[in-house]
Every structure is written in structure tokens, then in C-alpha cells.
Amino acid sequence: MAMASAKLLTTVTCTAPINIAVIKYWGKRDEELILPINSSLSVTLHQDQLKTTTTATISKDFTEDRIWLNGQEEDVGQPRLQACLREIRRLARKRRSTGDGDSLPLSLSYKVHIASENNFPTAAGLASSAAGYACLAYTLARVYGVEDDLSEVARRGSGSACRSLYGGFVEWQMGEQADGKDSVARQVAPESHWPQLRVLVLVVSAEKKQMGSTVGMQTSVETSSLLKFRAESVVPSRMREMISCIQARDFPGFAELTMKDSNQFHATCLDTFPPISYLNDVSRRIVQLVHRFNACHGQTKVAYTFDAGPNAVIFTLEDTVAEFVAAVRHSFPPETNGDKFLKGLQLTPVLLSDTLKAALAMEPSPGGVQYIIATQVGPGPQILDDPHTHLLGPDGLPKPAA
């Protein structure tokens, strides 16, 4: 009996990464299809430190589609989730109907149960929706036997999610067609391209942000003339420059452009009416810290970038990462969690030189940075073959927490 019931389920589990844009996406030209007003470019972070895991199960016994996020059941009717499901089922039908004249398999009419969890705080400005929807698209594609480009499926969930379908350095081409068929992600360089690059996520606040990016973007597109200028006159040449810096592994060029583009994105937020501010005082102090650190070294050794929230993402090279972590510890002394302040990749601690301490010349603000996640560039989505990793049990319901 157990054998028979086991066959009624098809279950797939995958993981997908977070990506951090170095040339920012802000603003849509089509709200429903999620088409951007400019191209963007991102770095995929390693899933050993930050990832979403998603399990999808289809069965003829399920009576409705259901979804659980981090253990809580959520409304499966939300429009973006529905758009993803519709799109993947459409691709599956298209693929089957152009096959060998076989009739459509029953599994296309089966309902799906989905469970997804992040190993980092959701909605804390850590691009959780990008990893989440990339993971959903990738997992559903495996369940329904879809082999097409998944950019469109992921993009319908969250624009930046299409960039999480690849590892390394990824470009989201804005495209020109009204139907969005050419608005797709492509890999510019694989994760192995620049092994010395390191990434630090400085978690300033794990609170939910005041204004979500969807509403923020919409207001910016409607009211900011600076945003229009950015999209049309600044981003195209920056995209070309950024791609060539990455290909040449030119860190100072990459770093400077990353900081300038982050600053311009936040300038367009301030130019929005009423103005939007995602950075807080700690964010601004981190900006100051990076510039003073670089000035003391007489070269650009560290770069910051901020998305729609106060957390900083720092890029640096392997030979500088420990010294910069020491500078952060010096400027934002951990209040209680000294030993747990640094998570992720292990670093050998170094002491700051007196010259650097003097150059930083900052009044310490204790507890300003809650913790740091040290990571590196990583691969795209992965399929997990071990059934123990499934988030849904043989009954198609979330497994009880271990």
C-alpha cells in the first residue's frame, strides 16, 4: 500500500541564491509583466551562506494549490504567485502539445503544494523575494518538466528574481518588446571568474522596511525626473563599463562604479515626491567608513552598495577583507555578541594599525551593525537529490520542524 501511495506524488526540492545589483534596477515600464525601465547587473552570492530552499509536490490527490513560507501557510491567491504558476503551466502545456502528438499528461491538471524557507531574515532588505521567486520558478519547472528559459516565470514574481537563475555575474537585459520576450537574464561571467572577490553583508537592521520596493518604484517612475534621466542617459554606458570591469577583474573600476550607482539610485529615491529614504544614520556612517578606509590606503580597496533598505553590502578582495571587518568592529563595536558578530566564511582576525584608526576618526557607535555575513560569489540554483531535504512530507504537508 505504501508503495502505491508513494507513486502518486512527484516531489522536487531546489535551492536558489540571493543576488546583489551593482547597476540597480528601479522602475518598471510595465507593471503587470514586470518590465524594467533600464537594464541591471548583479552579483550572485554563495548559497552556503544565503539561500532559499523550495519543495514543490504535485499529486492527483491534492484539491487545491497551497503554499507555506518559513512554516506559515500563505495566501496562494496573491497575484504574483498566480502569475508564476500560470506561466509555468502554460509553458508545460505548450511543451507537451508540440511533442509527439501525445495527449497532455494528467499531471498538468494536478494541484501543487509548495513549501519555501530562507536561511536569512525575510524582507530585511536581503533580496529575499529574488531568491524566493527564482527558486519557485526553478522548482516548478522541474516538477512540470519545463526546459525553457525561466527568466519570464521568475520575473513575473519579482523582477530581480530572473537574475538569481544564474551564478556569477548576471545581466538583466531590459529588452524592447512590449510582450517582454526579450527582457531576460544572461550570465556575463561564471562564479569561478573572480575567485578573489569577497562580499560582506552588514546587517544594520533586520526590521521590515517602511516602504516596499514595488510601491517605491511606482512613485519614483511617476514623479522623479532624475530617474528618467538615469534610465535613459546614464545606465546604458554604465552597463558596458561594468561588464568590462568584471571581465578584466578591475577591482578599483568595479568598486567605484558600484558605489556611484548605489548613490545615484538613492538620489533618485530622494528625488521621488514625496521623497523616499531607505538609508539610515548607520548606513551613512558605513559610507563614510568606506571612503576613509580607501583614502587611508590611497586606493579603492572596498566598495559599498545599498538596495531598498539600510543594510550595506560590501565588496572587497580576499587580501583586504579581514582588515575591513576589523575597521567595522572598531567603528561599530558589537554590544553583546562579540563572538557571533561575524557569520559565514571564517576569517583570521587582524589588528587595525594606529594610522588606520586615526584615519577613520569616527566616534564609535556601539551595536550599529548587528552582525556581518561574510560570503563570496556563488553558483545558480541547485537541485537537492536527497529526499531528507524535502520540506514537504509524503502526505504533501510541511514536515514538522526537527
Side-chain angles (χ1 to χ4, degrees):
M1 185 60 209
M3 284 291 293
S5 64
K7 283 186 181 146
L8 302 176
L9 296 175
T10 303
T11 300
V12 178
T13 300
C14 301
T15 65
I18 278 184
N19 73 76
I20 299 295
V22 289
I23 300 290
K24 302 293 187 192
Y25 149 56
W26 194 250
K28 304 179 188 68
R29 64 180 192 273
D30 185 313
E31 287 286 336
E32 197 202 338
L33 295 178
I34 308 201
L35 303 177
I37 59 171
N38 61 265
S39 296
S40 54
L41 200 143
S42 61
V43 179
T44 299
L45 305 189
H46 207 289
Q47 293 168 64
D48 282 355
Q49 284 76 42
L50 297 160
K51 69 178 173 202
T52 295
T53 304
T54 301
T55 297
T57 298
I58 51 175
S59 165
K60 75 172 181 52
D61 297 337
F62 295 164
T63 53
E64 55 180 351
D65 293 332
R66 295 178 72 182
I67 186 164
W68 291 264
L69 293 184
N70 295 314
Q72 295 297 114
E73 184 158 11
E74 302 279 337
D75 172 19
V76 81
Q78 43 180 315
R80 289 187 173 196
L81 185 58
Q82 284 298 318
C84 282
L85 281 166
R86 262 197 318 274
E87 187 58 28
I88 204 86
R89 285 167 170 157
R90 183 186 70 77
L91 289 171
R93 269 194 299 277
K94 189 180 94 181
R95 183 159 184 268
R96 300 298 161 82
S97 59
T98 54
D100 334 332
D102 290 351
S103 58
L104 294 176
L106 283 172
S107 62
L108 274 178
S109 62
Y110 291 178
K111 299 297 183 188
V112 65
H113 285 189
I114 300 158
S116 191
E117 54 187 42
N118 300 329
N119 66 350
F120 56 89
T122 311
L126 280 182
S128 55
S129 64
Y133 278 107
C135 205
L136 180 69
Y138 197 80
T139 309
L140 290 174
R142 297 297 166 282
V143 166
Y144 285 113
V146 168
E147 289 171 7
D148 305 62
D149 177 60
L150 298 176
S151 284
E152 183 161 11
V153 185
R155 200 190 68 222
R156 296 295 290 269
S158 171
S160 51
C162 66
R163 299 188 310 239
S164 275
L165 292 169
Y166 299 94
F169 302 83
V170 183
E171 168 186 24
W172 175 13
Q173 299 171 335
M174 63 179 283
E176 287 169 12
Q177 293 166 218
D179 65 3
K181 295 297 177 204
D182 58 348
S183 186
V184 294
R186 74 167 191 105
Q187 189 181 66
V188 168
E191 59 271 21
S192 55
H193 171 70
W194 200 345
Q196 300 80 16
L197 197 61
R198 291 291 176 275
V199 185
L200 299 169
V201 181
L202 274 48
V203 178
V204 168
S205 153
E207 303 296 298
K208 227 174 144 113
K209 53 198 178 206
Q210 299 93 335
M211 180 182 275
S213 33
T214 304
V215 181
M217 267 184 217
Q218 228 168 340
T219 317
S220 295
V221 169
E222 287 160 11
T223 61
S224 169
S225 49
L226 182 56
L227 182 63
K228 185 172 158 47
F229 175 76
R230 163 180 167 74
E232 292 170 5
S233 307
V234 180
V235 171
S237 59
R238 281 193 175 172
M239 286 291 293
R240 290 191 293 273
E241 190 183 338
M242 186 59 90
I243 290 170
S244 73
C245 287
I246 289 166
Q247 285 168 343
R249 293 185 282 267
D250 165 10
F251 185 79
F254 168 83
E256 198 163 305
L257 196 50
T258 294
M259 292 188 279
K260 286 181 173 175
D261 205 72
S262 175
N263 294 340
Q264 188 176 82
F265 154 53
H266 290 282
T268 65
C269 290
L270 279 181
D271 188 51
T272 299
F273 198 81
I276 307 169
S277 182
Y278 288 115
L279 306 183
N280 63 20
D281 287 344
V282 177
S283 315
R284 287 184 276 273
R285 293 178 68 103
I286 293 167
V287 167
Q288 200 177 29
L289 171 68
V290 169
H291 285 290
R292 289 181 178 177
F293 184 95
N294 287 335
C296 178
H297 283 287
Q299 55 176 305
T300 307
K301 297 191 77 162
V302 181
Y304 53 77
T305 187
F306 296 84
D307 286 328
N311 295 338
V313 176
I314 300 292
F315 291 98
T316 186
L317 296 176
E318 200 176 14
D319 60 6
T320 308
V321 67
E323 188 186 21
F324 187 74
V325 166
V328 173
R329 254 185 205 276
H330 172 76
S331 308
F332 304 97
E335 283 187 313
T336 45
N337 63 339
D339 53 335
K340 299 200 175 62
F341 185 63
L342 183 67
K343 304 173 192 289
L345 296 179
Q346 290 308 295
L347 300 171
T348 310
V350 300
L351 291 172
L352 282 191
S353 69
D354 290 340
T355 326
L356 188 53
K357 275 186 193 166
L360 297 179
M362 291 171 80
E363 199 50 44
S365 31
V369 172
Q370 292 181 12
Y371 57 90
I372 298 176
I373 302 165
T375 182
Q376 57 193 337
V377 186
Q382 310 284 311
I383 299 178
L384 302 182
D385 293 320
D386 178 357
H388 290 105
T389 58
H390 294 332
L391 303 177
L392 295 169
D395 55 358
L397 296 173
K399 291 182 183 173

